[in-house]
Amino acid sequence: MFHSCRLGGSFGFVQPLDSLVFQRITTPSSVLQDLISFSLCRGRGDGDKGRLCCFPKDPLEDVETWSESVDKVLSCKAGQIAFREFLKSEYSEENILFWIACEEYKKIKTTPEMISSANRIYSEFVQTEAPRQINIDCGTRENITKNISQPSLTSFDSAQKLIYSLMARDCYPRFLKSHMYQGLLRRNDSR
């Protein structure tokens, strides 16, 4: 679904931020531009000029809070996009994609959907030689493999905790020092 927004007096359509999480963004500067564009997009075309078309508030408003914890980054879609772009530059994008997939998996309500999603997560991230294989210990991988035929909402919890810990301990401190995050901070400060 696309939302209309008023840009420079004309109506345009922008992609919702949720879909950008899974869209391939080619360069760090393009993610910065996407986030800035979203933050400048005002109004819904319905006379409500004070609100953003895709967000209840400016997506860059929370940039400064991202330095408080990795949870602050992961709890907001704009933070997820920026962090994903950073991880992509470090060739470890699979970590945040797996973490997001696990968060979505936990919201599943039906058994057929759970089975289908569990198999997709397993084949994309967990199984040996998966296209986006995550770096987890063999015991965790074997436990998931053993139980994948009868998945539960907690099937990936141990692996998700390991990946979260890896991101929080290793990637997040580098993200805070990155040109991308520093650029977003400068952009936010210059408002």
Side-chain angles (χ1 to χ4, degrees):
M1 178 177 180
F2 291 87
H3 300 277
S4 66
C5 66
R6 194 168 197 130
L7 296 170
S10 64
F11 289 97
F13 290 91
V14 293
Q15 202 166 6
L17 193 55
D18 290 20
S19 65
L20 284 176
V21 171
F22 296 102
Q23 176 183 350
R24 181 152 182 84
I25 301 171
T26 57
T27 64
S29 62
S30 70
V31 75
L32 180 65
Q33 283 306 113
D34 286 342
L35 292 174
I36 289 169
S37 295
F38 279 116
S39 75
L40 296 175
C41 180
R42 301 254 178 226
R44 294 185 184 272
D46 60 4
D48 186 13
K49 295 180 178 127
R51 295 179 61 196
L52 294 168
C53 64
C54 305
F55 304 100
K57 64 180 183 173
D58 185 338
L60 295 180
E61 192 174 294
D62 294 330
V63 168
E64 289 181 14
T65 66
W66 297 353
S67 65
E68 294 173 14
S69 71
V70 72
D71 290 325
K72 294 282 187 174
V73 174
L74 295 174
S75 68
C76 108
K77 295 294 183 186
Q80 289 177 8
I81 289 173
F83 195 45
R84 176 186 175 189
E85 191 62 29
F86 171 74
L87 291 175
K88 189 184 299 183
S89 75
E90 293 206 330
Y91 304 99
S92 58
E93 174 186 27
E94 68 279 357
N95 292 327
I96 193 165
L97 294 177
F98 173 72
W99 185 88
I100 291 169
C102 289
E103 289 299 296
E104 291 302 313
Y105 178 76
K106 293 175 189 177
K107 298 174 187 173
I108 292 174
K109 302 287 185 216
T110 68
T111 301
E113 187 181 357
M114 182 175 31
I115 292 168
S116 173
S117 187
N119 284 314
R120 183 189 59 77
I121 292 169
Y122 177 77
S123 63
E124 187 171 348
F125 299 105
V126 178
Q127 78 181 16
T128 306
E129 303 299 321
R132 293 181 169 162
Q133 184 177 339
I134 53 171
N135 186 10
I136 55 175
D137 62 271
C138 62
T140 302
R141 191 177 316 278
E142 287 171 4
N143 190 39
I144 293 170
T145 301
K146 183 176 71 176
N147 296 313
I148 196 65
S149 61
Q150 295 182 353
S152 70
L153 290 178
T154 60
S155 291
F156 301 102
D157 283 359
S158 59
Q160 186 184 22
K161 286 176 187 165
L162 289 170
I163 294 303
Y164 173 89
S165 178
L166 176 70
M167 290 190 302
R169 185 184 62 244
D170 294 341
C171 306
Y172 173 68
R174 289 192 304 274
F175 169 70
L176 295 179
K177 295 175 186 173
S178 72
H179 291 296
M180 179 186 301
Y181 180 65
Q182 294 302 314
L184 289 171
L185 278 177
R186 280 190 300 278
R187 169 71 175 95
N188 200 41
D189 288 344
S190 68
R191 295 172 155 195

